[in-house]
């Protein structure tokens, strides 16, 4: 990988030149085409027809530089509706390209197409793209690699090679059938059959030794691994046997680097790590393993995915020695216990922004909009004359923010907002829970949620502080919350109920980590700040697909500012219709 990845033939429509401080820096327009098509794929000795981009699983790698414009034409050749989200891209003044179905656009229907057109502004690192409708992202996802502007170095040693490592989940059954059945019965959905690394389950699963990702390294060289968690419903611990790594970047933001043997990555998060190969040939191979960090009371896929780290044998070894790699000892890493919340908390508190002159941490120091949101599970009543399989036979599982379970509209929110269409949503989403209770104490007897399509409206450039509080309703659980259209600063976190008089004093406003997806600690809270400098409609939701389906989501509307570059332009002519 590396700069050679930047494809000129695919991409370049035009080049224009900017002149900061007298330097010529080229930004280009890169064109990609995504044909959404069915493809037969076999994993775990099970063949099924899956939805793919260009017949690839995982999907193709998008590569760009900071400042480049991307024009990606998506053509839908499958029976399902489709939309694509460019996860973590700020989408400054390009909210029509963000992608979540019924939020910023109606989905692309069968036989239709849509062109996603956006510029990468002030971002570099690893992000990813994925389908953003129902559970289709189970197979429709891929890396989005953003290199720094030409001539701008990484703030860490230049790696010998760069390798994307994308974690996913494989289901033998059709994921659309799984979630549809779950929503009808009210039960928790069936879990995946395997985790995957770059689409491959690896040697610890039945029938999968041939489907193993192998990373081949040279002694003494340094490798940049771009880790992406595209799994549907599981946070993952990851470790490489007998190797420490250096964490240098999360969610496409450089951090103060630190060494670790184990890292944690939630769905929706990315992490760049430097792996320094051992100085001499080690006469062993090494498993790179990931398995879930699971805190909820529901069932989950309790299995382990592994790839293999192999060292290139020295030239003095006979060529036939490559055959004997199978005879080398295979070292295995030790991963934390499935519910090791202490490790998760301690790991995330190590993450800090660089906060230097070149990469400042522009944390809002004052706040003019404060919000306190509970996030967690709940129930909806079973329809009349039906027996359900929720927590009891008269309820269905649900999930909510401030006890409101979000109902997707049938018209995209951004269209309704832009054109002033009434009756699609209401602007009365509560800034604090309507019913206060001991959020992490004894669970309440009443687990019912309210339902609606409610949003929060923010004036342009508002300085926002949001505390998200897990609840014990139907079991405390870690929730990876993703905010579209923004990065935010994680200024504090803790266990139990958030106490502003005590906890606010400990907020880090100097070098907090900046990211787009954060885990709300199981039985705890997290505080974030961001500046609402991006006009549009921005989805915020748990990145566990099961919880999105159950309603753990809401939206922010950011109004236009006064200046031309503070306003959302009109939609493109090919914006899909509902």
């Amino acid at each position: 990988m590396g700069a050679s990845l930047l494809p000129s033939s695919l991409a370049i429509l035009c080049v224009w030149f900017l002149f900061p401080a007298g330097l010529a820096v080229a930004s280009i327009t890169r064109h990609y085409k995504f044909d959404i098509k069915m493809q037969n794929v076999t994993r775990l000795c099970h063949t099924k027809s899956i939805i793919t981009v260009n017949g690839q699983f995982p999907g193709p790698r998008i590569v760009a530089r900071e400042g480049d414009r991307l024009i990606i034409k998506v053509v839908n050749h499958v029976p399902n509706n489709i939309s694509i989200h460019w996860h973590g891209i700020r989408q400054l003044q390009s909210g029509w390209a963000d992608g979540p179905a019924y939020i910023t656009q109606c989905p692309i229907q069968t036989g239709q197409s849509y062109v996603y057109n956006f510029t990468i502004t002030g971002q570099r690192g690893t992000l990813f793209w994925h389908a953003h409708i129902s559970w289709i992202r189970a197979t429709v996802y891929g890396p989005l690699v953003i290199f720094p502007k030409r001539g701008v170095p990484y703030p860490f040693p230049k790696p010998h090679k760069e390798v994307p490592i994308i974690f996913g989940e494989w289901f033998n059954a059709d994921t659309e059938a799984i979630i549809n059945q779950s929503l009808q019965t009210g039960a928790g959905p069936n879990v995946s059959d395997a985790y995957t690394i770059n689409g491959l389950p690896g040697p610890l699963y039945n029938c999968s030794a041939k489907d193993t990702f192998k990373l081949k390294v040279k002694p003494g060289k340094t490798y940049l691994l771009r880790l992406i968690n595209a799994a549907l419903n599981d946070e993952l611990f990851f470790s490489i046997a007998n190797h420490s790594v250096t964490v240098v970047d999360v969610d496409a933001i450089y951090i103060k680097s630190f060494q670790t043997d184990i890292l944690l990555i939630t769905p929706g998060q990315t992490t760049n790590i430097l792996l320094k190969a051992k100085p001499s040939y080690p006469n062993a191979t090494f498993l790179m393993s990931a398995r879930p960090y699971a805190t909820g009371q529901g069932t989950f896929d309790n299995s382990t995915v592994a790839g293999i780290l192999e060292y290139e044998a020295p030239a003095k070894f006979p060529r036939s020695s490559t055959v004997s790699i199978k005879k080398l000892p295979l070292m295995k890493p030790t991963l934390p216990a499935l519910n090791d919340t202490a490790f998760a908390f301690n790991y995330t508190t190590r993450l800090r922004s660089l906060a230097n002159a070149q990469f400042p941490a522009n944390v809002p120091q004052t706040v003019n909009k404060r919000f306190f949101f509970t996030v967690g599970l709940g129930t909806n009543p079973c329809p009349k004359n039906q027996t359900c399989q929720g927590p009891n036979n008269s309820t269905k599982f649900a999930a909510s923010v401030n006890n409101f379970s979000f109902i997707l509209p049938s018209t995209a929110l951004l269209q309704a907002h832009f054109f002033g269409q009434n009756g699609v949503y209401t602007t009365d989403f509560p800034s604090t829970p309507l019913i206060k209770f001991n959020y992490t104490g004894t669970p309440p007897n009443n687990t019912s949620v309210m339902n609606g399509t409610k949003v929060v409206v923010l004036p342009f450039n508002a300085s926002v502080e949001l505390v998200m509080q897990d609840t014990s309703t139907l079991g405390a659980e870690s929730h990876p919350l993703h905010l579209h259209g923004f990065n935010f600063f994680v200024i504090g976190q803790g266990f139990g109920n958030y106490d502003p008089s005590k906890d606010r004093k400990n907020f880090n406003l100097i070098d907090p980590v900046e990211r787009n997806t954060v885990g709300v600690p199981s039985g705890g809270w997290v505080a974030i700040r961001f500046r609402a400098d991006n006009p549009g409609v921005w989805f915020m939701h748990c990145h566990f697909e099961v919880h999105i389906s159950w309603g753990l989501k809401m939206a922010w509307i950011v109004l236009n500012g006064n200046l031309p570059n503070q306003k959302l332009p009109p939609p493109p002519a090919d914006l899909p219709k509902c």
Side-chain angles (χ1 to χ4, degrees):
M1 235 183 98
S4 60
L5 263 183
L6 294 169
S8 55
S9 58
L10 243 188
I12 304 169
L13 172 70
C14 59
V15 177
W16 63 94
F17 292 94
L18 311 170
F19 297 94
L23 291 174
V25 180
S27 291
I28 65 173
T29 296
R30 301 175 185 275
H31 286 251
Y32 289 86
K33 188 178 180 198
F34 278 16
D35 282 304
I36 310 297
K37 57 206 275 192
M38 305 303 296
Q39 182 73 33
N40 281 348
V41 172
T42 302
R43 296 289 185 273
L44 311 179
C45 282
H46 184 97
T47 302
K48 70 171 185 173
S49 183
I50 64 171
I51 302 173
T52 68
V53 170
N54 301 345
Q56 295 172 239
F57 171 70
R61 189 181 309 168
I62 296 282
V63 179
R65 285 194 185 276
E66 178 185 346
D68 286 352
R69 183 179 175 198
L70 284 171
I71 295 181
I72 304 164
K73 183 174 185 178
V74 178
V75 186
N76 186 6
H77 304 279
V78 304
N80 308 69
N81 286 346
I82 198 79
S83 72
I84 305 288
H85 171 51
W86 317 96
H87 183 111
I89 293 285
R90 287 288 321 269
Q91 298 292 4
L92 290 161
Q93 290 190 282
S94 55
W96 303 105
D98 190 42
Y102 302 105
I103 305 298
T104 59
Q105 66 168 89
C106 300
I108 307 165
Q109 298 179 35
T110 307
Q112 302 295 308
S113 66
Y114 181 47
V115 175
Y116 291 91
N117 181 346
F118 56 91
T119 298
I120 300 167
T121 305
Q123 293 184 276
R124 80 296 301 163
T126 306
L127 296 171
F128 70 118
W129 57 266
H130 61 79
H132 211 306
I133 181 168
S134 191
W135 279 27
I136 291 173
R137 77 174 180 87
T139 57
V140 176
Y141 63 86
L144 202 171
V145 174
I146 308 166
F147 290 105
K149 290 182 177 178
R150 197 172 291 282
V152 178
Y154 294 134
F156 47 80
K158 187 169 190 248
H160 170 65
K161 196 177 177 191
E162 305 186 14
V163 183
I165 292 183
I166 190 160
F167 302 105
E169 282 187 88
W170 172 264
F171 295 76
N172 285 334
D174 173 27
T175 46
E176 291 304 281
I178 288 172
I179 185 54
N180 290 340
Q181 179 188 25
S182 167
L183 294 176
Q184 183 170 2
T185 64
N190 290 345
V191 301
S192 56
D193 295 282
Y195 300 105
T196 57
I197 293 177
N198 293 345
L200 302 170
L204 305 183
Y205 290 104
N206 174 45
C207 190
S208 298
K210 69 181 191 313
D211 292 327
T212 299
F213 173 71
K214 291 183 178 171
L215 177 63
K216 296 185 175 169
V217 299
K218 295 180 177 178
K221 299 289 189 186
T222 297
Y223 296 79
L224 179 67
L225 307 185
R226 297 176 176 270
L227 308 181
I228 301 162
N229 188 347
L232 254 62
N233 295 312
D234 293 272
E235 304 186 44
L236 295 169
F237 294 122
F238 174 74
S239 184
I240 303 173
N242 293 38
H243 289 72
S244 290
V245 297
T246 303
V247 183
V248 294
D249 176 309
V250 295
D251 291 3
I253 298 285
Y254 297 132
I255 62 164
K256 292 184 172 77
S257 62
F258 65 91
Q259 273 203 313
T260 185
D261 298 333
I262 303 163
L263 55 90
L264 173 68
I265 185 167
T266 81
Q269 290 183 341
T270 66
T271 304
N272 282 2
I273 58 175
L274 293 176
L275 168 68
K276 189 162 183 18
K278 295 181 184 299
S280 55
Y281 186 68
N283 280 312
T285 56
F286 306 89
L287 281 188
M288 308 183 294
S289 301
R291 79 167 186 208
Y293 164 52
T295 53
Q297 296 183 352
T299 54
F300 62 96
D301 178 356
N302 184 8
S303 66
T304 303
V305 62
I308 296 178
L309 177 67
E310 283 180 5
Y311 278 73
E312 199 173 283
K316 64 185 180 192
F317 280 41
R319 186 159 292 281
S320 62
S321 69
T322 53
V323 177
S324 64
I325 278 181
K326 290 180 181 171
K327 296 178 184 170
L328 291 174
L330 179 63
M331 314 304 288
K332 297 180 180 177
T334 303
L335 289 163
L338 293 162
N339 62 351
D340 194 341
T341 293
F343 176 92
F345 188 86
N346 291 335
Y347 175 82
T348 54
T349 53
R350 294 178 75 184
L351 301 169
R352 290 275 193 272
S353 283
L354 272 185
N356 60 20
Q358 189 180 3
F359 301 106
N362 296 317
V363 190
Q365 297 296 310
T366 58
V367 170
N368 51 32
K369 294 284 180 183
R370 277 201 168 92
F371 300 90
F372 178 81
F373 290 176
T374 55
V375 294
L377 304 185
T379 56
N380 272 315
C382 195
K384 281 195 172 117
N385 304 322
Q386 185 184 334
T387 301
C388 288
Q389 297 168 22
N392 57 54
N393 63 13
S394 63
T395 57
K396 292 182 167 193
F397 275 107
S400 68
V401 181
N402 272 355
N403 211 43
F404 274 97
S405 187
F406 189 88
I407 298 173
L408 274 182
S410 53
T411 300
L413 292 182
L414 187 55
Q415 283 172 275
H417 163 63
F418 189 87
F419 293 109
Q421 186 177 343
N422 293 324
V424 177
Y425 61 86
T426 60
T427 58
D428 57 345
F429 190 91
S431 58
T432 58
L434 299 180
I435 301 167
K436 315 282 192 282
F437 63 99
N438 180 3
Y439 304 115
T440 55
T442 305
N445 292 325
N446 181 3
T447 59
S448 297
V449 301
M450 295 174 279
N451 299 278
T453 308
K454 295 178 182 293
V455 305
V456 172
V457 177
L458 294 171
F460 182 81
N461 226 28
S463 173
V464 179
E465 181 179 292
L466 168 63
V467 175
M468 291 180 281
Q469 171 76 59
D470 184 36
T471 76
S472 57
T473 306
L474 299 182
E477 187 168 359
S478 173
H479 296 276
L481 262 289
H482 171 51
L483 175 61
H484 290 229
F486 299 92
N487 287 331
F488 50 75
F489 293 96
V490 183
I491 57 172
Q493 60 174 350
F495 291 113
N497 297 339
Y498 172 69
D499 178 350
S501 62
K502 174 172 61 98
D503 294 323
R504 197 170 276 153
K505 289 186 291 214
N506 297 320
F507 282 175
N508 174 9
L509 303 180
I510 307 299
D511 64 347
V513 70
E514 184 181 352
R515 56 189 328 166
N516 65 58
T517 304
V518 66
V520 180
S522 178
W525 57 270
V526 67
I528 67 172
R529 283 188 184 179
F530 66 96
R531 189 168 297 285
D533 59 358
N534 195 4
V537 177
W538 304 108
F539 209 16
M540 190 177 83
H541 57 86
C542 181
H543 220 277
F544 289 155
E545 218 58 31
V546 56
H547 291 172
I548 305 180
S549 300
W550 286 346
L552 207 166
K553 50 197 176 188
M554 56 81 65
W556 306 83
I557 291 181
V558 177
L559 301 176
N560 283 338
N562 295 323
L563 301 176
N565 67 348
Q566 299 172 346
K567 298 182 193 300
L568 178 71
D574 65 338
L575 186 74
K577 294 179 170 55
C578 284

